[in-house]
Amino acid sequence: MSEIDKARQSVLSRITKALQLAGRSSEACQLLAVSKTFPADSIRTCYALGQRAFGENYVHELVEKATQLTDLPLIEWHFIGPLQSNKTRVIAKTAHWVHSVDRLKIAQRLSEQRPAELGLLNICVQVNVSGEASKSGCLPEEAVPLAHAAAVLPNLRLRGLMCIPEPTQDQARLVGQFASLRMLQTQLRQEGLVLDTLSMGMSADLEVAIAEGANIVRVGTALFGARH
Ligand SMILES: *Cc1c(COP(=O)(O)O)cnc(C)c1O
């Protein structure tokens, strides 16, 4: 077994155990392999093991790797990094998902620029659940009008919410931040939006996120090793 195979099996078993502990279905949470800074070859190896969804943070890196891997028919590209409006066009053409929509202008541009033949672009609204000034994502109170406005854009499919909690050893704080994203999803559902995705949890805290309802965990280090 290769290193990456071992690492992926170990992450998948962490996900399965966390789902069991939470009394959730074994299908309820998928693994997004965060391949930022790792070469296309690492993605190829991981794809050969059955991994389909890959996450990238930087626009040029996603485009470069997508170009190198056009022979992998089932690959699914998730853009998870900060997105500036002058970069939306290339993302609208390349990505299957964008997790980091944090203002209406970005959502509008992605919808306008999405090529019709690619079908709807899946998006999540990124919410700053920790309130740290340096964090990307909109404020929780901005997320409600943004989600409603994004939900009616013609070429997007609003799937849910995404967050990156503050780095902390304080378990209760972490739980609280994941839970606040889930409660925001509950509120938006009560207001009529159909949301099936909470994108939350990374290498260090995926169990906590799954206990709080994560449907996609975004895992880099635990799969590919430390980034340089
Ligand atoms: C890098 C990154 C991850 C992966 O983090 P790890 O701790 O390496 O698992 C997940 N989500 C986002 C938004 C990231 O930028």
Side-chain angles (χ1 to χ4, degrees):
M1 229 196 233
S2 67
E3 284 303 310
I4 179 87
D5 197 358
K6 272 187 253 172
R8 182 164 175 277
Q9 288 308 328
S10 148
V11 171
L12 289 174
S13 84
R14 284 175 63 191
I15 293 172
T16 304
K17 274 191 203 126
L19 284 169
Q20 270 166 1
L21 265 174
R24 300 176 60 201
S25 143
S26 60
E27 311 283 284
C29 183
Q30 71 149 322
L31 170 61
L32 176 63
V34 177
S35 44
K36 64 182 180 210
T37 78
F38 289 93
D41 275 348
S42 303
I43 297 177
R44 202 176 274 290
T45 307
C46 207
Y47 183 93
L49 301 171
Q51 182 65 35
R52 294 292 174 261
F54 293 89
E56 291 284 342
N57 277 61
Y58 306 102
V59 174
H60 82 268
E61 215 185 319
L62 185 149
V63 172
E64 195 176 298
K65 292 177 195 174
T67 308
Q68 290 170 334
L69 297 168
T70 48
D71 59 312
L72 306 181
L74 301 176
I75 199 161
E76 197 179 87
W77 292 108
H78 293 236
F79 187 72
I80 61 174
L83 186 52
Q84 279 145 15
S85 53
N86 62 349
K87 300 280 174 62
T88 50
R89 186 175 299 278
V90 65
I91 289 298
K93 277 197 231 170
T94 316
H96 300 81
W97 282 71
V98 177
H99 293 229
S100 46
V101 172
D102 62 358
R103 53 197 192 277
L104 186 56
K105 185 181 176 192
I106 296 292
Q108 285 168 333
R109 290 177 66 93
L110 288 170
S111 182
E112 279 161 19
Q113 294 166 347
R114 179 67 168 175
E117 67 275 16
L118 296 183
L120 304 183
L121 175 63
N122 298 292
I123 65 154
C124 291
V125 167
Q126 183 178 353
V127 185
N128 179 353
V129 289
S130 65
E132 294 163 281
S134 61
K135 261 291 157 56
S136 41
C138 64
L139 298 173
E141 58 268 31
E142 296 167 338
V144 173
L146 174 55
H148 283 281
V152 297
L153 292 172
N155 300 318
L156 303 183
R157 181 169 168 213
L158 178 66
R159 299 296 295 267
L161 305 172
M162 181 272 229
C163 75
I164 308 171
E166 90 190 90
T168 174
Q169 301 300 326
D170 182 342
Q171 198 75 355
R173 241 181 123 74
L174 190 60
V175 170
Q177 292 181 14
F178 287 137
S180 72
L181 200 71
R182 176 172 41 75
M183 289 187 281
L184 197 53
Q185 181 193 40
T186 304
Q187 178 189 338
L188 289 167
R189 282 175 169 170
Q190 283 165 351
E191 294 172 1
L193 296 184
V194 181
L195 304 178
D196 62 11
T197 301
L198 288 176
S199 166
M200 59 188 197
M202 312 196 285
S203 293
D205 57 14
L206 68 88
E207 285 86 356
V208 185
I210 289 171
E212 292 305 319
N215 306 102
I216 299 182
V217 288
R218 310 177 308 266
V219 179
T221 310
L223 275 178
F224 296 107
R227 291 179 289 272
H228 304 292

